[in-house]
Amino acid sequence: MSTATPTRAPQHDTSSGEQPGGGRVGGGLFDPRQLLTSFPDAVRKLDPRVMVKSPVMFVVLIGSVITTVLACADPTDWFGWAITAWLWLTTIFANLAEAVAEGRGKAQADTLRKAKTDSVARRLSEDGTSEERIPGSQLRIGDRVVCETGDIIPGDGDVVQGVASVDESAITGESAPVIRESGGDRSAVTGGTKVLSDRITIKITTKPGETFIDRMINLVEGAARQKTPNEIALNILLASLTIVFLLAVVTLQPFAVYAGAEQSMIVLVALLVCLIPTTIGALLSAIGIAGMDRLVQRNVLAMSGRAVEAAGDVSTLLLDKTGTITLGNRQAAEFLPVPGTTEDELADAAQLSSLADETPEGRSVVVLAKERYGLRERHQGELAHAEWIAFTAQTRMSGVDVDGRKVRKGAAGSVIVWVRDQGGQVGEAAGELADRISQAGGTPLLVAVEDGDGARVLGVIHLKDVVKDGMRERFDELRRMGIRTVMITGDNPLTAKAIADEAGVDDFLAEATPEDKMALIKREQAGGKLVAMTGDGTNDAPALAQADVGVAMNTGTSAAKEAGNMVDLDSNPTKLIEIVEIGKQLLITRGALTTFSIANDVAKYFAIIPAMFAVVYPGLDTLNIMRLASPESAILSAVIFNALIIVALVPLALKGVRYRPTSADRMLRRNLGLYGLGGLIAPFIGIKLIDLFLSLIPGIG
């Protein structure tokens, strides 16, 4: 897999509030002012056609309507009006959580809309000899358009001719321009971006209204967010629990009548609302929206919520070596002189021979000679009388002829031939050094000189594909998460093994072809594992489509972006590790708040049931461990707490539970202890405090 050099490689903090286009929304991940601005949307969501999508909150809505009717029948019943008011607030607060999450998405969408302009396209005729100017909205798939300096690219497509510098800041938020060219893995361009230099011909690959920006706007607004399988399963569970508690409350009234403690309909509705899992029912949608939102904050566009969830369950991670695990360009690591030559002499010749080599490898030789051996970096201009030999793919050498000396540096085979052509001999030491470097997974470059003493090899430069800082630690984290990492590379097995050992990956696939990648993914999936991988080329498209989480680079081809279910706007392959962490955070947040919600219901049981029947059955008073002031105060306190806890948990639902790389067992024990036990204790404290406050109000205590 060929990976383009990323325009940037930021390491976002979990609390980052960055948005596409470089803007920010609100005051970071959660701004209390968003509650106020989203309140009108929350009220509009009271439409029963909207509420029915959440069975739990639909029941609360029906309960609110019933208590409203009963309260109107007896306007003097302060208890009925108080319960009614707080039930309506419970419903609105549930909608508020979703409205806040959607509101942040709309703010991001507004930023993206600013980048979407009605551009004019210069469409080429079929024979390519003439142009016509048409609105960008009239372009169709297959049309070819020309863009020059200053033009806005009218639609998504691939560069089929030319090379240009393009400003993609409207999409990625990165001000540095990127290069887009035909025939490679950096051919894809996005409508709404701007050509800064040169001329390119683009083949349109999307219909108007279905461009990349259009899809981004729909997704971040939540318009295209479908419920994931886990969400659907949890909704079914919550609906089942609601039905169970509904039946329990319905059958409770006959027993109450028999015992001589008939309960009012308002009390029964309050009991039902407090027992059903309203907390997680209210926050479930917001958790899902916020999960996709956190990806957008890191400039990753998820095509579906299913992909985000799948990222949380990934057990095998396929990572390209070049640009992901390593820096992508081989760097000079050391100079190894042959016997009879000093390191300083070799370093001086290596630097001199590399001045005409503009490749990253050549530049690294100059830097190493300067930093390690204290040689001043020279420039071609200082040696005006020298004859420079530039590096080419054909000669595979660079060098200089100056002051009667000829200095060459390049691939071992090329330099050996040059030395022999100059009448010199190549000793065994040079070959042994080159073989040793190759066996270690490096690339040897020979340095030779021809002067009055004849032609000879001075030594070998060791080029290494440098592993990025911190990669071993990140792979250790993934291992603690139970994720197996596999490095994919086109290198030979010897080089691949050396890099894999240094980086700390679990396994590697050397000399990988598209068929090899597909076979590896299918083999992992056959064992019941979910697989994630990154890619940017057309040859990666089959594997991206096969993977459970396929992250395509924005710099890549249209085929790769269509095949994947996520697109990284920064084109930073290491982002895949962050995506997995965000997916796990989404699943953990949902599980933690579900645990908290169910534990809450157990605690609220101890507040309401004793209050309902303690008068008839004095023995039940032992369950009144909170010693609440009165039956009315106990029931009202539970209803108020049930409403306020939703608002209190909105920031956690949006931000997500903090994720720590650890085993599933430890994570389960931690969440049960924190959110299970916390869910039991919080209602006792909260309801008691509310009861103490209510007891100060005349007529209630």
Side-chain angles (χ1 to χ4, degrees), residues 130-251:
S130 62
E131 298 178 8
E132 63 171 328
R133 291 182 175 271
I134 63 170
S137 58
Q138 295 183 13
L139 288 173
R140 295 295 178 263
I141 295 176
D143 286 348
R144 290 183 303 155
V145 298
V146 173
C147 291
E148 295 181 316
T149 303
D151 289 347
I152 300 296
I153 296 175
D156 294 357
D158 289 326
V159 178
V160 294
Q161 183 179 349
V163 57
S165 175
V166 179
D167 176 11
E168 294 188 343
S169 59
I171 305 297
T172 65
E174 174 58 56
S175 58
V178 295
I179 301 299
R180 292 290 177 263
E181 58 188 340
S182 62
D185 293 341
R186 295 185 293 171
S187 61
V189 291
T190 305
T193 57
K194 184 178 182 179
V195 177
L196 297 180
S197 68
D198 302 297
R199 172 189 171 103
I200 51 177
T201 301
I202 300 166
K203 183 178 180 180
I204 299 299
T205 58
T206 58
K207 298 177 182 178
E210 297 179 7
T211 65
F212 194 62
I213 290 184
D214 289 318
R215 283 186 292 164
M216 286 181 67
I217 291 171
N218 288 334
L219 287 166
V220 299
E221 280 187 323
R225 198 190 84 86
Q226 301 295 322
K227 286 187 177 179
T228 63
N230 282 348
E231 264 188 283
I232 294 172
L234 185 54
N235 262 317
I236 293 173
L237 173 63
L238 298 180
S240 301
L241 289 174
T242 301
I243 293 172
V244 169
F245 284 118
L246 179 61
L247 293 174
V249 171
V250 168
T251 56

Side-chain angles (χ1 to χ4, degrees), residues 167-168 257 328 384 481 545 562 630 696:
D167 176 11
E168 294 188 343
V257 172
M481 293 157 54
E562 288 296 329
S630 66
L696 300 177

Side-chain angles (χ1 to χ4, degrees), residues 451-626:
D451 53 18
D453 297 328
R456 64 192 185 280
V457 174
L458 298 179
V460 183
I461 302 171
H462 181 186
L463 290 183
K464 289 180 62 178
D465 200 355
V466 181
V467 174
K468 292 180 178 179
D469 289 339
M471 291 308 295
R472 176 175 284 275
E473 290 75 13
R474 299 206 76 174
F475 290 140
D476 287 341
E477 285 184 12
L478 291 170
R479 201 169 291 112
R480 289 194 295 272
M481 293 157 54
I483 296 176
R484 176 171 169 264
T485 52
V486 181
M487 182 185 77
I488 299 177
T489 177
D491 290 340
N492 62 70
L494 206 61
T495 301
K497 185 178 187 308
I499 295 293
D501 290 342
E502 184 178 354
V505 295
D506 297 311
D507 200 356
F508 65 90
L509 178 65
E511 298 177 342
T513 64
E515 293 77 14
D516 293 333
K517 298 174 191 177
M518 281 284 289
L520 175 59
I521 292 173
K522 289 181 178 179
R523 192 162 58 246
E524 293 289 324
Q525 291 173 332
K529 299 177 180 178
L530 295 186
V531 180
M533 75 162 288
T534 59
D536 61 356
T538 301
N539 64 326
D540 295 319
L544 286 170
Q546 180 66 37
D548 300 285
V549 180
V551 184
M553 301 295 102
N554 190 42
T555 56
T557 61
S558 296
K561 290 196 281 190
E562 288 296 329
N565 48 26
M566 292 188 187
V567 177
D568 177 17
L569 304 180
D570 291 331
S571 298
N572 172 19
T574 59
K575 193 81 68 71
L576 181 56
I577 299 174
E578 292 184 53
I579 291 170
V580 170
E581 292 176 349
I582 291 172
K584 286 190 174 295
Q585 187 183 34
L586 170 65
L587 296 178
I588 292 169
T589 302
R590 187 181 294 154
L593 291 182
T594 301
T595 303
F596 186 90
S597 178
I598 294 175
N600 256 243
D601 297 336
V602 175
K604 285 179 282 190
Y605 170 88
F606 286 93
I608 295 182
I609 296 298
M612 293 172 64
F613 295 102
V615 175
V616 178
Y617 298 106
L620 285 177
D621 193 55
T622 56
L623 294 177
N624 185 18
I625 57 179
M626 286 184 273

